[in-house]
Structures are given as C-alpha cells and as structure tokens.
Amino acid sequence: MKRLIFTVIIEAILLSHSYSSDLTKKAIVESGGGPAPVWAGFYGGLFAGYGALDSATRFDCIGPNGVLGAVGCPIIAARKGTDDAFIAGGEIGYNRLFGAHLLVGGAADYQFTRFWDYGAREGTFQAVGGGDYPLSTAHAGQRLDNLATLRGKVGLATGPTLVYATGGLAVGNVRIDSTQTLLGQFGPSFDARHGEVRLGYVVGAGLEYAFSEHLSAKVEGLYYNLGSHAVFDDTTDYRIGARASTDGFLARVGLNYRFGDGVHVPPAGVAPGGGVWDFEGGVRYFYSSGGPRYTLGSDRRPGQVNSRLTYQDTDGHAGEGFARIDHNPTGLFAKGFLGSGGVTSGRLYDEDFPPAIRPYTKTLSQIKDGDISYGVVDLGYKALRRDGFSLGGFIGYQYDAELANGYGCTQVAGGTICARRNAVASDINVLSENLRWDALRIGLIGAARFDRFKISLEGAYLPVVTATGVDRHWLRPNINPLPQTGNGDGYFAEGIVSYDLTPAVSIGVGGRYWRMQTGSGRIKFPFSPGSPTKFETDRYGVFAQISYKLSDLGLGGSDAQPVLARKD
C-alpha cells in the first residue's frame, strides 16, 4: 500500500480541479472581519529536488555471555558513508492566518528517496583477547526507499512572501543488511538483515512566493532523522551483526496551488491558449514491462565474459502525475512527469560461462516483487507555431530507479547449480538488482490538433547517462552486496493521443519507451579492483490519462475573461 501513497497525493492535488464547478465563490472571513489573504485555505502541489542519506555503521559482536565485544569477537572499524540522489513527490496542506501576518498550518507529503549506503571492510581482523581472522570481509549498509512527513508550520506572511519554519513526524521504509565472512573460530559466514517502517522526526524551513491569487513557488530545506537499529545473525552462540543510524537532508523546490476562492475555468467554447500563460496537469496510470540486465567480464582476462543476469519482462504498475506550463508570447515552456509503482512479475535468468565456470549453466528465478520510480523535467522552446501545429526542442533531466527481486532457483540449461536437490524453493529471495539511472536529455516535441483531438510526439537522445547500483546474491554472503557503477547513453520516445471532453478537461492514451546503457561499468568484488561490466535497462508500456487545463493561472494577460465556477 505504501507504494500507492504517491499516486493518491498526486490525484488529490491535480484532480481537485475537475470538481471546481462545485466550489462556491466566497471570501473567507477571519476573526478580524476582513477577507482572508491568499495564503489561507487548502493547497496542494508537486516538488522535486535533491536529497542525501548519512549513515554511521558499527560492526557489533555479542558473546554467549551477552557481553558486547566479548573475547573472541572480531574487531572491525566502524564506518561512515553517504548517498545522494534526485527526489520528487507531492504535498497537501492547510494554512490559517491570524491577524495580517501570522500563519499556522499543517502539511503532509510523500517522496521517493532511492538512497542507499553500503560499504565493506576487507583484510585481517584482530580478535578481542588475541588472535586474528585473516582474509575476512565485513559488509554493512542500508537503503531508504521512500519517506513521508506529517508536519506543522508556523510562518510570517508579508504580501506575496511567506517565510516559515516546519517540523513533525517522519516515516520511512528502511532496510539494514550486514554480512560477514570470518575465517577462523566463527567461520565462515554470517548474514543479518531487517526491513521495517521506522518513525522519526523532521525539521526545516522554507521560503514561498505567491505569483498570483492561487499559484506560488517554494524553496524548502528539511532535516530528517529515523534513529538507529541493529541487526544480528543469531545462528551461533556469538551474535554477529551491525548497527546503523539513518538521517539526512532534503532540498526541494516546488509549485503549490491554493483552492481557497475557487478555480478559474475558461468559458464554454473558449479553449486555453488565448492568453499569456497556459497550464495543463493531470494523472496517469502507466503499465510497462522491461527490466535491467548486466554482463560481467573478467578482471584478469580482457574480453572474457564470466556471467550475465537478465531481469526479463518485469511488469510494472505505476501512478503518475504530469504538468506543463507555456509562456505563449515567447514560446518557452517547462514540462515534466513523476511516477512511482510496483513490479509484480517477471523472470530472472542467471548465466555463467566457461572458463569461469564449467560447464555453461543457466538458471531461472521468478520475480515476485520490486518497484520503480522515475521522473523527467524539461525546459524548451517552441520554434515553429502555426494554427493547430507546433514543434519545439528541449533540454532536461531524466531519472529512473528500479528494484527487482528474484525468488527460487531452477536449472534450465547445463550445470547443476540449481539442479535436483540443489533447487531453491520459490519463496526464497536469491538475487536482487537495485539500479539508479541519471541522464541528460536533448529532444524534439511536436503536436498537431484536429478539432477536439490532439496528437503529440516526442523523442530524445540521452547523451550522458550514469548508473549506480547494488547487486545482491543473498545466498552468497561472502560477496554480498556488490557495488556497481557505469557511464553511457540512451534514448526516449513517447506518443499521446488525447480528446477534449470540455475546453478544460481531456482524456488520452499514449505509449512510451526508454533505453539506457553503459559503455563502461564496473562491479567491485571483495579483494578485487573491480570487474568490467556492461549495464542496460529498458522500459516500454502504455498509459491512460486525464488532464485539466488552466488559462493564465491568475497571472494576467488572458484574452478571454475567465469565469468563476459557482455552486448553484
């Protein structure tokens, strides 16, 4: 259910416009007897930005006597790490003004935060009380997939400017893992992992500026802290594991729309486009398939392929919010979409090639769960504008994060890794791939209108792509996890056919495809400088959408006088 929170927030924000005919125009009267300034009332918005996870990890060992750091425990230095990435989400809230300037309110938001921090210690570990553990490894880390907050706000409003402080409850989905291979008394491997929804706190501040009665932009910074948690492998008398803390910051920019006085809609028969500004926003359901794969080379023999993992036909279901704003006099525009959802099915093929493994072997695992998060933000210019037709170019940023989990293991060709009694039951997670892609976009977009129908086509080249990831072989704690990095390129294509139900409301269907790959990449194995690896991912699918158009956003300059919808 947590994966649907983002979709619900987006729907609450954007589809509220479609019910504008039920709104009654009225001034909100405060205790002072005058009409409320524009800051009062309900609002909703979208935001995007940059965030980071700070992680402090301590390797722990508890002896049979229950003492932390008992005799015989390995002495492993603690580590600190960090990770940063694109974030995006949606927010809803309510404000109330007391007097002319004091604002008190509350807000709830959700964002995908595909952060992870994993690190390793390698070498000879000394033991408490004497002795050592030679050629040993210790991995530990965590990931934070999403974060929601429920906050109060206190601020000062001066005309169109609002400065505020905020704080409250933070809720995040945190997963901590620790694997250790200790050659010596304990030997050989320990595996501890735990995932849970954690509660913590969030504090921060922001600055918001109102461009009009309804529209405002904000810049906001938040610090979150979800505390710390320890995980242990309890399969021996000595409990081996790690403790990790989870905190970090979020820097966000966004647009909010306030619903206080009703929503301006074009009069019947007058479509948006006659004014200075046009805005269109809506929601989509996106069904897609595809998935990541990588080909692993040898760190000793150039050109040799050791193995290949293919996450195939990973079916995803996502909710998506989208928006576009045009400045008609100049032809400048900004557009984007944000989506998040789950992966429900698919197949994972794991191949190993001679001479690394003899004979050739191929196994099959079923993908039962996972998730996807993605987003695009573009700035562009319409160079060609004619009646019913436009063509423009854009430059922007694309983000894609995918998590796929493979369960069970059966042999489908060669070898005996998962044959007969070595087969792994279908409820055991054996392999996972967590990849994050960042890309620069350069493209063209064109649109043609035929009465109420509109066709839009878009294509982009991704000349700069970076990939970071973590491969998890859950049944091999001596190599788990494996950090991944790479650089490459890609491309993107999208087509949409929409139909105007009214001048303001339209429905549509579309298709989308993207592919990204690395020309150079590496996977880091223990005691190895890194193995050459090629990473790839693609996703293709169809979507259905509903959108709502606004003319001029209250910024002025409209050729057609807007009409305020009233409730009869």
Side-chain angles (χ1 to χ4, degrees):
M1 293 297 293
K2 62 181 182 296
R3 294 173 182 154
L4 297 178
I5 297 176
F6 177 69
T7 307
V8 172
I9 291 178
I10 297 298
E11 290 176 352
I13 293 167
L14 295 171
L15 288 183
S16 298
H17 297 82
S18 64
Y19 296 101
S20 59
S21 60
D22 293 330
L23 296 175
T24 304
K25 183 180 181 183
K26 61 180 181 180
I28 303 175
V29 180
E30 301 290 342
S31 57
V38 295
W39 292 112
F42 289 99
Y43 67 91
L46 300 174
F47 58 81
Y50 168 88
L53 166 69
D54 293 320
S55 178
T57 305
R58 185 184 73 200
F59 296 93
D60 283 345
C61 170
I62 300 175
N65 56 2
V67 175
L68 182 67
V71 173
C73 284
I75 302 173
I76 307 173
R79 59 172 297 273
K80 289 186 177 181
T82 187
D83 186 41
D84 51 80
F86 174 77
I87 62 168
E91 177 182 56
I92 55 175
Y94 177 80
N95 293 327
R96 182 177 175 86
L97 276 156
F98 294 87
H101 303 292
L102 178 62
L103 179 143
V104 177
D109 65 53
Y110 172 88
Q111 54 256 296
F112 53 79
T113 53
R114 300 305 295 270
F115 304 144
W116 59 72
D117 172 60
Y118 293 99
R121 301 293 188 194
E122 302 172 353
T124 297
F125 305 144
Q126 300 299 312
V128 177
D132 57 38
Y133 299 93
L135 296 175
S136 297
T137 61
H139 298 83
Q142 62 178 313
R143 76 172 194 244
L144 175 62
D145 291 336
N146 48 68
L147 184 71
T149 74
L150 180 62
R151 297 171 285 116
K153 294 172 64 175
V154 177
L156 292 176
T158 304
T161 303
L162 170 65
V163 180
Y164 61 89
T166 182
L169 180 69
V171 183
N173 186 25
V174 184
R175 170 84 179 227
I176 298 176
D177 303 295
S178 178
T179 60
Q180 298 183 31
T181 299
L182 303 172
L183 301 183
Q185 173 184 346
F186 297 116
S189 297
F190 297 86
D191 188 359
R193 62 186 88 156
H194 182 70
E196 64 180 352
V197 175
R198 296 249 293 272
L199 300 180
Y201 67 89
V202 59
V203 293
L207 173 67
E208 192 164 356
Y209 183 84
F211 296 105
S212 70
E213 181 184 3
H214 295 285
L215 184 70
S216 61
K218 72 172 184 180
V219 178
E220 186 175 61
L222 300 174
Y223 168 78
Y224 66 90
N225 191 312
L226 298 176
S228 64
H229 187 81
V231 294
F232 290 98
D233 186 333
D234 296 322
T235 58
T236 69
D237 292 338
Y238 280 79
R239 304 178 66 212
I240 305 292
R243 175 178 290 275
S245 63
T246 308
D247 68 325
F249 71 89
L250 310 172
R252 316 189 303 193
V253 295
L255 287 174
N256 284 334
Y257 192 91
R258 294 176 301 281
F259 305 112
D261 283 340
V263 179
H264 293 291
V265 299
V270 178
V276 174
W277 296 91
D278 284 337
F279 174 84
E280 181 176 12
V283 292
R284 295 180 178 129
Y285 163 72
F286 181 41
Y287 169 77
S288 63
S289 191
R293 51 199 169 275
Y294 72 81
T295 303
L296 173 68
S298 171
D299 61 349
R300 295 180 176 87
R301 298 182 180 180
Q304 176 180 304
V305 175
N306 285 350
S307 65
R308 179 167 56 231
L309 275 76
T310 303
Y311 292 80
Q312 183 173 307
D313 299 330
T314 59
D315 293 341
H317 304 266
E320 186 177 310
F322 66 94
R324 173 169 173 150
I325 183 169
D326 288 79
H327 186 244
N328 293 315
T330 63
L332 296 175
F333 64 87
K335 65 182 182 68
F337 59 83
L338 303 171
S340 182
V343 171
T344 57
S345 62
R347 300 183 300 278
L348 165 60
Y349 293 102
D350 184 358
E351 300 172 272
D352 294 293
F353 302 91
I357 291 183
R358 295 183 184 275
Y360 164 81
T361 179
K362 184 176 183 179
T363 63
L364 170 64
S365 302
Q366 298 297 323
I367 297 172
K368 297 183 179 180
D369 61 33
D371 56 58
I372 54 174
S373 300
Y374 54 91
V376 162
V377 179
D378 294 322
L379 297 176
Y381 172 70
K382 289 189 291 188
L384 180 61
R385 288 176 282 173
R386 298 288 186 270
D387 290 341
F389 177 79
S390 67
L391 178 65
F394 61 84
I395 183 170
Y397 166 77
Q398 181 166 338
Y399 172 85
D400 175 35
E402 308 171 33
L403 170 63
N405 294 308
Y407 287 82
C409 183
T410 57
Q411 201 76 34
V412 295
T416 59
I417 293 177
C418 292
R420 296 181 293 275
R421 63 182 180 181
N422 292 329
V424 180
S426 61
D427 60 342
I428 297 178
N429 188 193
V430 296
L431 285 165
S432 297
E433 179 63 38
N434 201 340
L435 268 177
R436 189 173 64 209
W437 301 81
D438 299 274
L440 173 70
R441 293 162 44 90
I442 301 175
L444 296 173
I445 182 169
R449 176 169 291 280
F450 306 94
D451 193 20
R452 292 193 174 195
F453 285 95
K454 180 181 177 181
I455 299 175
S456 176
L457 297 175
E458 174 181 331
Y461 175 56
L462 315 179
V464 180
V465 168
T466 62
T468 57
V470 178
D471 171 88
R472 313 306 298 263
H473 283 62
W474 295 108
L475 302 185
R476 300 181 62 187
N478 60 314
I479 66 168
N480 183 34
L482 299 177
Q484 305 169 318
T485 58
N487 298 284
D489 61 0
Y491 45 89
F492 174 98
E494 181 179 88
I496 305 172
V497 177
S498 60
Y499 177 78
D500 293 339
L501 297 176
T502 72
V505 179
S506 70
I507 57 175
V509 295
R512 180 186 298 150
Y513 173 79
W514 72 72
R515 175 182 172 82
M516 289 176 273
Q517 63 269 323
T518 65
S520 62
R522 302 190 78 79
I523 288 182
K524 175 66 173 69
F525 285 83
F527 301 105
S528 168
S531 300
T533 310
K534 180 178 181 180
F535 301 98
E536 305 169 83
T537 190
D538 62 4
R539 188 148 292 274
Y540 51 90
V542 296
F543 55 82
Q545 69 178 44
I546 181 171
S547 66
Y548 189 84
K549 304 179 184 71
L550 293 172
S551 183
D552 287 297
L553 299 171
L555 296 172
S558 176
D559 294 337
Q561 187 68 28
V563 174
L564 185 65
R566 298 172 179 270
K567 183 176 180 180
D568 294 330

